[in-house]
Amino acid sequence: MEKWFIASKRADFNKIGEIFHISPVTARLMRNRSLTTVREMQRYLYGSLSDLYDSHLLKDADKGAEIIKEKIETGKKIRIISDYDVDGVSSNYILYQGLKRCGADVDYKIPDRVEDGYGINEHLLEKAAGDGIDTIITCDNGIAAAEQIAYGNSLGLTLIVTDHHDIPFQRQEDGSISYNLPSAAAVINPKQKDCPYPFENICGAVVVYKFIQVLYDLFGIDRRESEAFLEIAAMATVCDVMPLCDENRIIVKEGLQRIQHTNITGLQALIEANHLEEKKISSYHFGFILGPCINASGRLTSAKDALELLLCEDKELCRQKAEALTQLNAERKEMTANGVKAAKEYLESTGHGNDKVLVVYLPNCHESIAGIIAGRMKEYYHKPVFVITRTKEGLKGSGRSIEAYHMYKEMNKIKECFDKFGGHPMAAGFSMQEDRLEEFREKLNANATLTEDDFAEKVHIDVALPISYLSESLINEFELLEPFGNENTKPLFAQKDLYIKGMRVLGTTGRCLKLFLSDANGTSIDAMYFGESDGFLEELISFCGKEEAQRIQKGLSHHIWMDVTYYPQVNEWRGQKNIQIVIQNYRFKNL
């Protein structure tokens, strides 16, 4: 059962509107995003590259750049080792291109998800030493690899860590915390406690983007050249679900402006392979279309395929590579759909669907999509979910959580179950032996203090906005708030007491429902619902009966009313414009 909440942050919205020449509604939306001062709002609306923080503030960035400069000038071989997701591939691309620009003898390696696992390991270090590599730079990994970094030092390698993940720590008996940093020649990570960089929530690609700027300064290269990496850094920021506030918001805005005419041939080919060349690309396209194509290679084949696409400059070869990645992503979608179906069947057949914390065992599922399936199941059941698969080494699992359940802390309580584990409040990963599976499920649920209230989906509404207040100019004004994403979500409005004048199912898939609504004062509006139309109709029949539901569909009954949450848009069809709303949540009622 959903619970709807309307934001209640206060401010002088009329005054804010006067300052920025916007409506009080838009002013309220900014305040709901925790902006309090005129300076913050100015930066939010109109921030530019000049508002980004000084790259030299990153701890060890200057030190690392000096080391790399010396290695380049003495002809030493450098290798980049990254993660295999979008942020890892993007980080690798930026570092490789930036180091090449500085004259480095550099190559790259992306670990295989199945064979190598996440991040740098002993095998990769030994291979680098055998290949005559002098220096390794990690990106989007390395901060939790203290043992591996120490081993690399013993092999005579110089190691520089660039990362953005949390610093590993241990809580002492006296309650104090000790942090475990790797013994690299330089550690560049804004989450270090003594790092003076003002904003720690940047992704791995932005960390190396900043590092390349420092390196360019050292080599006397105009740092404006680094702006060629902005669309890649922006895509990584969105796909790694970084908060779209502060300088992340500026980077993504700038990247989206540049991607429409990107000079990265491989990225342009990926845009064309997904038929986006005529569309205005938004953060949605980064997160749900382009990014997943990059991710698909790291999940199902090799992330090297995605990196080679970005580095490729031959248009025809890029077209072939981009189409292959797009097809691979389509296969990943199908595998995910089958996995979600199997997960639901598992919970129904075992009775574990009633547990507070859901543990789903899918031994034959590809380990690379376990996290995606866990996320879909979490959305469906609104409970914490772990999806576990079988591998050659034992079991591997990925978890996705809800706001009320700190996944990493709960796993720490039963650490004896795992061979390895890590994560944060909302997501986690682990490996374990198969004979621990039932113990894991039982202990998680025995410890869980979740209540039915925690399982209720919470719908956070920005403004209770009557449909009569909507206008084309107001809807266009909301574009000032883009790009939308984590911590800068698309605004959600609500209207009570709309009656249904009629409805019809659109399209061949039956997933789109068009409704004709009106308020008590006679203001009418078209509405679209892109959820499951069958589910909507089933709920309507359950509420008012089949006969009445059929009358409503034909426009013969106006007795059923709805409360809705929505986002407005201007729909244009054959040169005609009209305002419509897209329904996100609904509940039926009698008046």
Side-chain angles (χ1 to χ4, degrees), residues 169-178 409:
F169 67 89
Q170 289 182 324
R171 193 175 296 276
Q172 306 302 317
E173 291 183 2
D174 62 0
S176 63
I177 293 176
S178 63
K409 283 184 179 178

Side-chain angles (χ1 to χ4, degrees), residues 163-447:
D163 203 350
H164 73 116
H165 291 98
D166 290 350
I167 314 297
F169 67 89
Q170 289 182 324
R171 193 175 296 276
Q172 306 302 317
E173 291 183 2
D174 62 0
S176 63
I177 293 176
S178 63
Y179 292 93
N180 186 23
L181 285 170
S183 56
V187 177
I188 306 167
N189 183 331
K191 289 187 176 173
Q192 296 176 86
K193 295 303 176 184
D194 56 348
C195 179
Y197 198 77
F199 184 62
E200 67 174 27
N201 292 313
I202 53 177
C203 69
V206 173
V207 172
V208 297
Y209 167 70
K210 299 279 183 173
F211 177 62
I212 289 298
Q213 287 187 330
V214 173
L215 197 61
Y216 280 9
D217 289 346
L218 197 59
F219 274 88
I221 299 171
D222 189 336
R223 69 156 52 189
R224 284 178 295 184
E225 288 190 27
S226 68
E227 294 176 14
F229 304 134
L230 276 167
E231 51 263 56
I232 296 293
M235 181 169 65
T237 297
V238 173
C239 292
D240 224 42
V241 201
M242 293 293 102
L244 293 193
C245 57
D246 208 291
E247 71 174 357
N248 282 344
R249 175 174 170 78
I250 296 171
I251 288 169
V252 174
K253 283 182 73 173
E254 292 285 341
L256 287 170
Q257 290 174 7
R258 285 169 166 76
I259 199 169
Q260 303 292 154
H261 46 80
T262 182
N263 292 319
I264 301 172
T265 309
L267 191 54
Q268 183 60 50
L270 194 61
I271 290 168
E272 293 172 0
N274 285 278
H275 311 294
L276 299 177
E277 61 268 34
E278 300 299 325
K279 295 187 177 181
K280 179 184 177 183
I281 296 176
S282 68
S283 54
Y284 170 84
H285 299 105
F286 274 158
F288 293 95
I289 298 179
L290 300 176
C293 291
I294 301 290
N295 252 340
S297 63
R299 293 185 185 279
L300 302 182
T301 56
S302 169
K304 186 179 178 182
D305 296 339
L307 180 56
E308 288 179 347
L309 167 65
L310 295 179
L311 292 171
C312 181
E313 296 181 357
D314 181 280
K315 286 189 176 181
E316 176 57 25
L317 188 56
C318 282
R319 184 189 64 78
Q320 296 172 17
K321 289 178 179 289
E323 289 180 354
L325 286 185
T326 302
Q327 178 58 38
L328 197 64
N329 189 46
E331 294 174 18
R332 190 272 309 162
K333 289 181 182 178
E334 184 177 358
M335 290 171 62
T336 300
N338 292 334
V340 169
K341 181 181 178 183
K344 291 179 181 178
E345 291 173 352
Y346 172 86
L347 290 176
E348 290 173 5
S349 64
T350 60
H352 293 330
N354 296 320
D355 290 349
K356 292 182 176 180
V357 182
L358 304 183
V359 177
V360 180
Y361 183 40
L362 302 177
N364 299 319
C365 175
H366 198 292
E367 66 181 78
S368 67
I369 61 171
I372 303 175
I373 296 171
R376 301 283 171 80
M377 297 294 285
K378 184 260 295 187
E379 292 171 5
Y380 185 80
Y381 289 96
H382 207 70
K383 293 181 177 182
V385 180
F386 291 91
V387 173
I388 301 171
T389 65
R390 183 188 287 136
T391 71
K392 290 185 294 184
E393 294 78 25
L395 303 185
K396 282 190 177 180
S398 291
R400 298 294 183 269
S401 197
I402 59 177
E403 291 179 16
Y405 189 80
H406 194 301
M407 189 159 270
Y408 183 61
K409 283 184 179 178
E410 293 299 318
M411 292 173 72
N412 265 287
K413 294 177 183 177
I414 57 168
K415 60 176 64 177
E416 66 275 6
C417 291
F418 309 112
D419 296 334
K420 293 180 180 178
F421 76 100
H424 52 78
M426 301 300 287
F430 62 88
S431 60
M432 65 161 57
Q433 296 306 305
E434 192 159 352
D435 59 5
R436 290 279 199 177
L437 176 59
E438 191 57 25
E439 176 190 4
F440 168 66
R441 188 185 72 80
E442 290 178 356
K443 287 185 174 180
L444 276 179
N445 279 282
N447 291 337

Side-chain angles (χ1 to χ4, degrees), residues 82-108:
S82 70
D83 190 11
Y84 36 63
D85 67 356
V86 179
D87 193 20
V89 170
S90 301
S91 303
N92 207 320
Y93 171 84
I94 294 170
L95 261 182
Y96 182 80
Q97 295 286 61
L99 289 170
K100 276 285 190 183
R101 176 66 180 87
C102 294
D105 181 359
V106 59
D107 66 13
Y108 54 81

